[in-house]
């Protein structure tokens, strides 16, 4: 993987860049739709490409449990398995173990947990997390980390950080494949001193990119923004910076202004499946009775397949009738909304007017 920093916005800390992998490029700031089970729910890869998606995220935890990384490896790797031939980032599985698996236990060597699918017992070490991701063949891999819950005492956060740093070293040491990049994850809870230590230690180990983890886990938004604002600039300028799992449109616009290059979030796809559609003005709750006879598209300024062809009344009907197409058409729109937003963000940085764009965008949505 190669990252090129193309331009820095003079009015903010926003950056324009490009990630190039063996599976193609992604212009940054980039938003990666989440393909948890090796699929971005309800869309085929052609639909993703048509919406302008360049890079997707997939979850190691889920693919390890089902169908198993060995099977995917035998079948030619994740790109071939899911027929997405663009760049793929895989997480380490850590976050899902902490959030989904019952009866987990963290030791110095790794995490013991039970599958949320069938209750079977598993153990993931930093080494195995890298081996699984190497077997999947993703373009960007993440180190196994420990993600402490919010709130956590300083002592617990410090202990957890020591473990995450130790695991980061081990991950770096076992990585075999030079084609695949490995990112370190900055933890440290809500304690600036620990975050600072985390950044220092990760830079010493040396990674292809750096992620901010353990955010958007229930802490107040102001604290999250403060940590991102203060710690993003400490990360190496010539490496991509990835904010894990946080991504309302407003979060993205704010955090790009702090120098974040990469985002992922289930928000556009999950909201779509619940009939919540993004537009610049409002979130459209498509089941609402007011759309019963509404012939307009979801968003008249949107160029997606859904908005070009279907009315709000039709979408509302599909949701009421519980038709599968409701989810497909809604997801197409929400993903395209996110891709158009990223396009406007990159244009504003290119034009050297990101602060103005950000101010305008955030005030319009209030
Ligand atoms: Zn649309």
């Amino acid at each position: 993987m190669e990252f090129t920093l193309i331009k820095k916005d003079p009015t903010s800390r926003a950056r324009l860049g490009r990630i190039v992998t063996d599976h193609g490029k992604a212009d940054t700031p980039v938003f990666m739709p989440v393909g948890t089970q090796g699929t971005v729910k309800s869309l085929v890869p052609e639909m993703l490409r048509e919406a302008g998606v360049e890079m997707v995220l997939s979850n190691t935890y889920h693919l390890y449990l089902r169908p198993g990384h060995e099977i995917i490896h035998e079948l030619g790797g994740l790109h071939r398995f899911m027929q997405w031939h663009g760049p793929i980032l895989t997480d380490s599985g850590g976050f899902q173990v902490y959030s989904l698996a019952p009866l987990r236990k963290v030791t110095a060597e790794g995490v013991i947990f039970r599958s949320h699918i069938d209750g079977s017992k598993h153990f993931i070490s930093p080494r195995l997390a890298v081996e699984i991701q190497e077997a999947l063949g993703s373009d960007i891999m993440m180190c196994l980390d420990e993600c402490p819950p919010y709130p956590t005492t300083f002592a617990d956060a410090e202990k957890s950080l020591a473990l995450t740093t130790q695991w980061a070293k081990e991950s770096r040491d076992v990585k075999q494949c030079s084609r695949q990049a490995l990112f370190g994850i900055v933890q440290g809870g809500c304690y600036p001193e620990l975050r600072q230590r985390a950044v220092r230690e990760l830079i010493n180990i040396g990674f292809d990119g750096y992620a901010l983890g353990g955010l958007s886990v229930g802490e107040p938004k102001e604290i999250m923004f403060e940590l991102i604002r203060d710690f993003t600039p400490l990360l190496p300028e010539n490496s991509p910076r990835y904010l894990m799992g946080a991504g309302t449109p407003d979060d993205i616009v704010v955090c790009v202004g702090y120098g974040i290059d990469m985002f992922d979030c289930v928000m556009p796809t999950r909201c779509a499946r619940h009939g919540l559609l993004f537009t610049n003005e409002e979130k459209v709750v498509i089941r609402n009775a007011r759309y019963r006879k509404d012939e307009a598209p979801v968003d008249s300024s949107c160029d997606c397949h859904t908005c070009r062809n279907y009315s709000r009344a039709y979408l509302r009907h599909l949701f009421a009738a519980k038709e599968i197409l409701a989810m497909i058409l809604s997801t197409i729109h929400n993903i395209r909304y996110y891709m158009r937003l990223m396009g406007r963000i990159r244009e504003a940085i290119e034009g050297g007017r990101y602060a103005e764009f950000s101010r305008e965008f955030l005030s319009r949505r209030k």
Side-chain angles (χ1 to χ4, degrees):
M1 184 208 80
E2 263 180 48
F3 175 72
T4 312
L5 182 60
I6 295 171
K7 183 170 178 167
K8 291 198 278 179
D9 175 62
T11 66
S12 70
R13 295 211 191 107
R15 301 134 50 94
L16 199 66
R18 177 168 285 184
I19 290 170
V20 178
T21 74
D22 280 6
H23 292 93
K25 59 101 183 169
D27 289 323
T28 63
V30 63
F31 179 82
M32 301 174 281
V34 177
T36 302
Q37 311 268 11
T39 163
V40 175
K41 289 191 198 307
S42 85
L43 300 189
V44 295
E46 287 73 15
M47 294 169 178
L48 292 173
R49 270 190 287 275
E50 197 189 323
V53 172
E54 290 191 308
M55 186 166 185
V56 301
L57 175 144
S58 207
N59 289 120
T60 295
Y61 169 85
H62 291 88
L63 298 175
Y64 159 79
L65 289 178
R66 182 176 55 194
H69 56 290
E70 292 100 343
I71 289 183
I72 293 178
H73 184 66
E74 267 174 50
L75 295 173
L78 184 57
H79 294 87
R80 183 163 173 210
F81 190 53
M82 69 186 278
Q83 285 297 306
W84 168 258
H85 299 290
I88 299 176
L89 180 147
T90 43
D91 63 6
S92 67
F95 185 76
Q96 271 75 27
V97 168
Y98 305 122
S99 57
L100 288 178
L103 299 168
R104 63 193 175 271
K105 187 168 180 276
V106 180
T107 71
E109 288 75 40
V111 201
I112 303 157
F113 64 97
R114 287 199 184 275
S115 157
H116 72 292
I117 301 168
D118 61 7
S120 55
K121 206 172 168 185
H122 298 268
F123 171 70
I124 288 193
S125 62
R127 169 188 287 271
L128 182 58
V130 170
E131 284 171 1
I132 296 170
Q133 295 177 80
E134 285 184 336
L136 295 173
S138 56
D139 300 278
I140 298 177
M141 311 186 284
M142 304 300 298
C143 291
L144 185 67
D145 60 337
E146 198 196 4
C147 181
Y150 178 83
T152 302
T153 64
F154 184 88
D156 284 347
E158 190 174 31
K159 215 170 109 196
S160 165
L161 175 60
L163 194 61
T164 290
T165 304
Q166 177 56 36
W167 288 358
K169 269 193 210 119
E170 287 173 37
S171 309
R172 177 88 267 182
D173 291 345
V174 297
K175 178 179 171 290
Q176 297 281 336
C177 175
S178 60
R179 180 187 75 71
Q180 294 172 279
L182 181 65
F183 282 21
I185 304 175
V186 178
Q187 289 286 357
C190 289
Y191 301 100
E193 185 192 328
L194 295 182
R195 290 268 165 189
Q196 202 149 19
R197 189 186 304 171
V199 168
R200 220 173 28 238
E201 288 172 344
L202 288 178
I203 293 173
N204 276 341
I205 301 169
F207 288 95
D208 303 303
Y210 297 84
L212 295 178
L215 295 167
S216 204
V217 291
E219 75 284 7
K221 258 227 165 128
E222 309 82 70
I223 295 188
M224 176 179 103
F225 284 148
E226 258 174 48
L227 287 167
I228 296 167
R229 184 195 63 204
D230 295 347
F231 291 98
T232 307
L234 305 182
L235 297 170
E237 188 169 84
N238 290 313
S239 308
R241 301 143 167 195
Y242 165 31
L243 175 61
M244 302 181 79
T248 67
D250 286 14
D251 290 348
I252 293 176
V253 169
V254 171
C255 296
V256 163
Y258 296 151
I260 297 285
D261 306 304
M262 303 168 69
F263 299 87
D264 79 282
C265 191
V266 293
M267 182 158 268
T269 42
R270 184 173 290 166
C271 282
R273 295 196 303 282
H274 290 99
L276 295 172
L277 300 165
F278 289 90
T279 73
N280 278 333
E281 281 71 42
E282 51 174 354
K283 223 186 258 170
V284 172
V285 182
I286 199 71
R287 289 170 199 267
N288 202 311
R290 63 192 261 220
Y291 301 124
R292 200 161 50 94
K293 295 181 183 174
D294 194 336
E295 282 192 300
V298 172
D299 178 351
S300 52
S301 74
C302 178
D303 59 357
C304 83
H305 177 80
T306 304
C307 292
R308 276 188 283 114
N309 294 286
Y310 303 98
S311 65
R312 292 173 167 185
Y314 182 61
L315 246 72
R316 178 179 182 274
H317 156 71
L318 291 178
F319 270 103
K322 297 191 168 60
E323 282 294 333
I324 295 166
L325 189 59
M327 296 190 180
I328 299 173
L329 293 180
S330 300
T331 307
I332 288 175
H333 169 76
N334 275 0
I335 291 289
R336 181 64 190 147
Y337 173 82
Y338 265 66
M339 292 305 125
R340 287 173 68 227
L341 172 62
M342 299 319 289
R344 286 160 60 204
I345 285 173
R346 290 191 298 266
E347 249 175 61
I349 304 173
E350 177 78 60
R353 49 177 179 82
Y354 191 74
E356 185 194 333
F357 167 84
S358 164
R359 236 184 347 259
E360 243 173 57
F361 184 86
L362 297 171
S363 67
R364 191 181 307 142
R365 290 180 63 86
K366 288 276 142 45

